[in-house]
Amino acid sequence: MPPSPIRKLVPFAEEAKRKGRKVYHLNIGQPDIPTPEGAIQAIRNLSDRVIEYSHSAGHEGYRKKLSDFYRKIGLDVDYSDILVTTGGSEAITFSLMSTTDPGDEVIVPEPFYANYNGFSIASGVRIVPVTSVIENGFALPPAEEFEKLITPRTKAILICNPNNPTGYLYSQKELERLGEIVKKHDLYLFSDEVYREFCYDGAVHFSVLKLKGLDEHVIMTDSVSKRYSMCGVRIGTLVSRNKSIISTALKFAQARLSPPSLGQLAGEAALNTPDSYFTGVYDEYIERRNFMVEALNHIPGVICPKPKGAFYTVVHLPVDDSDKFSQWILSDFDYHNQTVMIAPASGFYATPGLGRQEVRIAYVLKKEDLKNAIETLAEALRIYPGRTLK
Amino acid sequence: MPPSPIRKLVPFAEEAKRKGRKVYHLNIGQPDIPTPEGAIQAIRNLSDRVIEYSHSAGHEGYRKKLSDFYRKIGLDVDYSDILVTTGGSEAITFSLMSTTDPGDEVIVPEPFYANYNGFSIASGVRIVPVTSVIENGFALPPAEEFEKLITPRTKAILICNPNNPTGYLYSQKELERLGEIVKKHDLYLFSDEVYREFCYDGAVHFSVLKLKGLDEHVIMTDSVSKRYSMCGVRIGTLVSRNKSIISTALKFAQARLSPPSLGQLAGEAALNTPDSYFTGVYDEYIERRNFMVEALNHIPGVICPKPKGAFYTVVHLPVDDSDKFSQWILSDFDYHNQTVMIAPASGFYATPGLGRQEVRIAYVLKKEDLKNAIETLAEALRIYPGRTLK
């Protein structure tokens, strides 16, 4: 596995900090939103004498409450359709391992979450990218683009909705289109929905679990990491109505014994989080996003689509090479002793050469930090030697 | 992956409980020993506002304290040689994935921990068993038995020391013998040492990390699960002085983001557990083991070696087929409305047909429960229709 373009930047960010510079992290998905008080309290009230393994599929009580949670948001999910996993990461790995053989192929719209590369290497499958483009805000590519890529080794299509890194929210129509491809070619459809609760401008999330007639095909990945801002508890879920997938995934789950017990305690308590928490989070992100999109589009040569979900956006920059620019801004630049760390988009594309003028920006900082960060970025773009805007 | 012989028994155990029978679980490795108070308190004192990801390799502070811990027990380990993993399970999976290609082979003395099958399937490697036998208490097979099995695809030897399921503790001489094989054939040596703290009768554990000249070959797996009786926190470690292995394993670690943060909090606090805790645990297990070994050997036709480590033993029973017997005892038998669940040894062997007269017994119950369980087992063996002792 080659190191990702973001990881290559880490030593440069560390060096900048050693020089006493303030580095704004626009590169990461670690929100600064507080974890719900109920989840923290559940941990503080731990009453166990022995911190034991849970059931390999997760505590039955937690799975039953998760099933209620899904039903409340319109997804008819029985608790036996749910495996609690060690983060969404493990849910995706189990999905791949339970449905593919080494050498099989999975089609993924690019740009995509870079860690899908690691999961596919671990599972021995090959990611086949289908390219989405900034011009339409990274909408789902047309059906024929998918069909061109389908071979006898194609086993599944994997999407992330809302999307990391683009922030794009797939519409019901787009998902139904995907559903038709999946059914026609007898594929699996994996949907990573860990950003489901982050949909803006009144947009409604449409889950793959709502697609009709696709119960045998669909596997949904979920996680408490973003919803409740508790990435560190490492609790996710794999959901499928296909009993044979659940049974196979359970074997992998049994081999690793159980998901973290303390995380499940937090996850179960978090299900009682009041709506006001989410309203607060929503208001905060909308404000950050609106501010950021407007500020970025004000910078000459920058194109920033207005994402409808998650807390990322992929932005076009007027630079020769965003890998180089992202390094330069850390190593050779500062603005009032400040700089920024951004994620070069090359790491989110599987097709060589794509994303060279794009970066992913996460709006997980509070507004005044975002303001400073974007001012710094604007100044960097103004003086960067590899600037392409003349 | 076929279901393991233990898992096939679960519905029978559930049915026995529904009938109102007391089922003694001699089949599991979930100790009843309390988690150290310091670890529980650390969780109760959680002061984080946001439960964040840790570093993918684990909190640096925790790794540094782990390195001190290893140095105190005579293992010269730098914190950069350590990756914190999601349980020992993940450490073994990362070890396999970081050193093998699909189709490679790993030699494992059988009987072995059944979950090694799951990890090897997930990693695409094939386990090649080398048989150890009850007659010498499951000592390490001779070097020539290993060498017979080495092919161009052999990449590693994997041992568990002290051993689950046999309780056998490998001696320094046996490990040095293994070290020579490993060096001669340029293999890796994986050692699962999660039961290190459970060595009895004054026996001293010899870690593979003490083998001279094998820094590039050795990967050690460790875990807090058994040492501190907190299996549910899911915190383990992968330790190797081979920088290239650490660097590759870190990439898999980065793909899954981080090990559980709350578990690391407990793990770090547990490092301050006073010696008196371990003395208490030691005394408890010695008493259980001595009681159990003696009681088992008193049953006609039963042969139980006296294990020097862990909290399991593989026992010979005078039965036609331990899979059948283990099911029969749950479904068709009770003694004063009690029965026992035991683990048929067939699941711990890769060679078909082996272990048919053996079961694994865990002595993780308190003595009075063990006493009832073994009385029940004795009565079952007396009247079992498939009894081989005439």
Side-chain angles (χ1 to χ4, degrees):
Chain A
M1 252 194 287
S4 82
I6 306 180
R7 282 166 204 144
K8 276 195 243 171
L9 293 175
V10 172
F12 296 100
E14 283 168 0
E15 180 58 25
K17 286 176 197 169
R18 261 195 298 275
K19 288 182 194 155
R21 286 182 193 156
K22 166 83 187 159
V23 179
Y24 290 105
H25 284 272
L26 297 175
N27 60 300
I28 46 167
Q30 169 62 60
D32 63 347
I33 304 285
T35 304
E37 194 49 33
I40 300 273
Q41 274 311 330
I43 296 298
R44 289 195 187 134
N45 293 338
L46 175 72
S47 62
D48 295 356
R49 223 176 116 260
V50 189
I51 306 175
E52 296 190 359
Y53 293 125
S54 73
H55 189 292
S56 295
H59 284 303
E60 194 172 298
Y62 180 40
R63 281 181 287 148
K64 287 184 170 164
K65 286 188 190 164
L66 274 171
S67 143
D68 294 343
F69 167 81
Y70 289 124
R71 286 190 172 126
K72 253 184 235 164
I73 60 169
L75 308 179
D76 185 25
V77 169
D78 187 71
Y79 87 96
S80 64
D81 303 331
I82 299 174
L83 294 186
V84 178
T85 55
T86 307
S89 306
E90 191 180 67
I92 295 169
T93 302
F94 284 174
S95 301
L96 290 167
M97 286 187 176
S98 304
T99 55
T100 63
D101 293 309
D104 282 345
E105 297 167 2
V106 175
I107 299 176
V108 188
E110 64 180 356
F112 58 79
Y113 178 48
N115 282 330
Y116 293 163
N117 288 313
F119 307 145
S120 64
I121 289 170
S123 316
V125 306
R126 197 164 78 83
I127 288 184
V128 175
V130 54
T131 308
S132 69
V133 294
I134 196 167
E135 286 74 13
N136 58 14
F138 301 102
L140 194 75
E144 52 273 28
E145 294 298 315
F146 282 91
E147 298 206 307
K148 265 193 236 165
L149 300 171
I150 292 173
T151 75
R153 305 269 357 210
T154 308
K155 281 290 164 64
I157 296 171
L158 163 61
I159 60 162
C160 179
N161 186 32
N163 194 274
N164 174 5
T166 67
Y168 188 80
L169 180 69
Y170 295 112
S171 68
Q172 178 170 350
K173 273 209 178 130
E174 285 173 308
L175 285 161
E176 285 168 351
R177 188 144 45 83
L178 260 185
E180 281 160 27
I181 302 170
V182 158
K183 204 181 246 173
K184 180 171 161 195
H185 298 276
D186 194 19
L187 305 176
Y188 293 105
L189 177 57
F190 308 144
S191 182
D192 176 349
E193 304 186 354
V194 305
Y195 297 98
R196 183 188 313 105
E197 283 69 28
F198 302 87
C199 294
Y200 310 117
D201 307 329
V204 175
H205 184 265
F206 188 84
S207 170
V208 288
L209 290 169
K210 283 185 183 164
L211 289 169
K212 304 273 181 240
L214 283 174
D215 286 357
E216 297 300 303
H217 298 257
V218 159
I219 310 182
M220 192 268 277
T221 286
D222 203 357
S223 165
V224 304
S225 292
K226 313 296 177 179
R227 179 158 66 236
Y228 306 118
S229 194
M230 49 186 198
C231 301
V233 303
R234 311 310 300 128
I235 294 294
T237 41
L238 179 158
V239 181
S240 179
R241 300 191 191 100
N242 180 324
K243 297 294 173 199
S244 135
I245 286 175
I246 292 291
S247 149
T248 306
L250 180 59
K251 288 177 193 163
F252 289 106
Q254 285 165 333
R256 63 68 165 129
L257 301 166
S258 83
S261 297
L262 297 172
Q264 291 182 78
L265 195 63
E268 191 168 329
L271 289 169
N272 299 321
T273 303
D275 287 347
S276 56
Y277 174 86
F278 297 100
T279 318
V281 172
Y282 178 89
D283 291 347
E284 180 67 31
Y285 276 113
I286 275 279
E287 193 187 352
R288 292 176 183 184
R289 182 203 61 167
N290 290 351
F291 169 78
M292 193 200 60
V293 171
E294 202 184 319
L296 283 170
N297 280 318
H298 260 90
I299 305 173
V302 171
I303 304 164
C304 175
K306 193 169 193 173
K308 280 206 164 19
F311 32 69
Y312 308 100
T313 180
V314 169
V315 183
H316 172 94
L317 300 185
V319 296
D320 55 347
D321 182 330
S322 58
D323 280 291
K324 283 188 201 159
F325 173 69
S326 306
Q327 184 185 319
W328 175 86
I329 198 171
L330 288 168
S331 59
D332 296 323
F333 168 84
D334 79 280
Y335 176 65
H336 300 322
N337 216 24
Q338 305 176 130
T339 189
V340 299
M341 186 165 171
I342 50 182
S346 59
F348 303 114
Y349 286 90
T351 304
L354 290 187
R356 286 189 61 190
Q357 291 196 296
E358 296 170 2
V359 296
R360 183 190 72 177
I361 289 184
Y363 46 101
V364 294
L365 305 181
K366 58 180 189 284
K367 202 174 129 188
E368 64 201 72
D369 287 347
L370 270 185
K371 188 164 173 288
N372 284 334
I374 291 172
E375 266 177 34
T376 305
L377 181 66
E379 180 61 16
L381 285 168
R382 205 177 61 78
I383 67 164
Y384 174 56
R387 174 183 163 92
T388 52
L389 201 70
K390 301 297 164 195
Chain B
M1 251 195 289
S4 82
I6 306 181
R7 282 166 202 142
K8 276 195 242 173
L9 293 176
V10 172
F12 296 100
E14 284 168 359
E15 180 59 24
K17 285 175 196 168
R18 263 195 298 275
K19 287 182 196 156
R21 287 183 193 154
K22 166 81 185 157
V23 178
Y24 290 105
H25 284 273
L26 298 175
N27 60 301
I28 47 168
Q30 168 62 61
D32 64 347
I33 303 286
T35 304
E37 193 50 32
I40 300 274
Q41 274 310 331
I43 295 298
R44 289 195 186 134
N45 293 337
L46 175 73
S47 62
D48 295 357
R49 221 174 118 262
V50 189
I51 305 175
E52 296 191 359
Y53 292 126
S54 73
H55 189 291
S56 295
H59 284 303
E60 194 172 299
Y62 181 38
R63 282 182 287 147
K64 287 184 170 164
K65 286 188 189 163
L66 274 172
S67 143
D68 294 342
F69 167 80
Y70 289 124
R71 286 189 173 128
K72 254 185 234 160
I73 59 168
L75 308 179
D76 186 25
V77 170
D78 188 71
Y79 87 95
S80 64
D81 303 330
I82 299 174
L83 294 186
V84 178
T85 55
T86 308
S89 307
E90 190 178 67
I92 295 170
T93 303
F94 285 174
S95 301
L96 289 167
M97 287 185 175
S98 303
T99 55
T100 63
D101 293 310
D104 282 345
E105 296 167 2
V106 175
I107 299 176
V108 189
E110 67 180 352
F112 57 79
Y113 178 48
N115 283 330
Y116 293 162
N117 288 312
F119 307 144
S120 63
I121 289 170
S123 316
V125 306
R126 197 165 76 83
I127 287 184
V128 175
V130 54
T131 308
S132 68
V133 293
I134 197 168
E135 287 74 13
N136 58 15
F138 300 102
L140 194 76
E144 52 271 27
E145 295 298 315
F146 282 91
E147 298 205 307
K148 266 192 237 165
L149 301 169
I150 293 173
T151 75
R153 304 264 7 204
T154 309
K155 281 289 164 64
I157 296 172
L158 163 59
I159 60 162
C160 179
N161 186 32
N163 193 275
N164 174 6
T166 67
Y168 188 80
L169 179 69
Y170 294 112
S171 67
Q172 178 172 349
K173 273 208 177 132
E174 285 174 307
L175 285 161
E176 285 169 350
R177 190 144 43 85
L178 260 186
E180 281 161 28
I181 303 170
V182 158
K183 205 181 247 175
K184 180 172 162 193
H185 298 276
D186 194 20
L187 307 175
Y188 293 105
L189 178 56
F190 308 144
S191 182
D192 176 349
E193 304 187 352
V194 305
Y195 297 98
R196 185 189 311 105
E197 284 71 27
F198 302 87
C199 293
Y200 310 116
D201 308 329
V204 175
H205 183 265
F206 188 84
S207 169
V208 288
L209 290 168
K210 285 187 183 165
L211 289 170
K212 304 276 180 238
L214 284 173
D215 286 358
E216 296 301 302
H217 299 258
V218 159
I219 311 182
M220 192 267 279
T221 286
D222 203 357
S223 164
V224 304
S225 293
K226 313 296 177 179
R227 180 158 66 237
Y228 306 117
S229 194
M230 49 186 200
C231 301
V233 302
R234 312 308 301 128
I235 293 295
T237 42
L238 179 159
V239 180
S240 178
R241 299 192 192 99
N242 180 325
K243 297 294 173 198
S244 137
I245 287 175
I246 292 291
S247 151
T248 306
L250 180 59
K251 288 177 192 161
F252 289 104
Q254 284 164 335
R256 62 71 163 126
L257 301 166
S258 84
S261 297
L262 297 172
Q264 291 181 78
L265 195 62
E268 192 168 328
L271 289 170
N272 299 320
T273 303
D275 288 345
S276 56
Y277 174 85
F278 296 101
T279 318
V281 172
Y282 178 89
D283 291 346
E284 181 67 33
Y285 276 114
I286 276 279
E287 193 186 350
R288 290 175 185 184
R289 182 203 61 167
N290 290 350
F291 168 77
M292 192 200 63
V293 171
E294 201 184 319
L296 284 169
N297 280 317
H298 260 90
I299 305 173
V302 172
I303 303 164
C304 175
K306 194 168 193 174
K308 280 208 165 11
F311 33 69
Y312 307 101
T313 180
V314 169
V315 183
H316 172 94
L317 300 184
V319 297
D320 55 347
D321 181 329
S322 58
D323 281 290
K324 283 188 202 160
F325 174 68
S326 306
Q327 183 185 318
W328 175 87
I329 199 171
L330 288 168
S331 60
D332 296 323
F333 169 84
D334 80 279
Y335 176 64
H336 300 321
N337 216 24
Q338 305 176 128
T339 190
V340 298
M341 186 165 171
I342 49 182
S346 59
F348 304 114
Y349 286 89
T351 304
L354 291 188
R356 286 188 61 190
Q357 290 195 296
E358 296 170 3
V359 296
R360 183 189 74 177
I361 290 185
Y363 45 102
V364 295
L365 306 182
K366 58 178 188 282
K367 202 174 130 189
E368 64 201 72
D369 287 347
L370 270 185
K371 188 166 174 285
N372 284 334
I374 292 173
E375 265 177 33
T376 305
L377 181 66
E379 180 61 18
L381 284 168
R382 206 177 60 79
I383 66 164
Y384 175 56
R387 172 184 164 92
T388 53
L389 201 72
K390 298 301 163 194

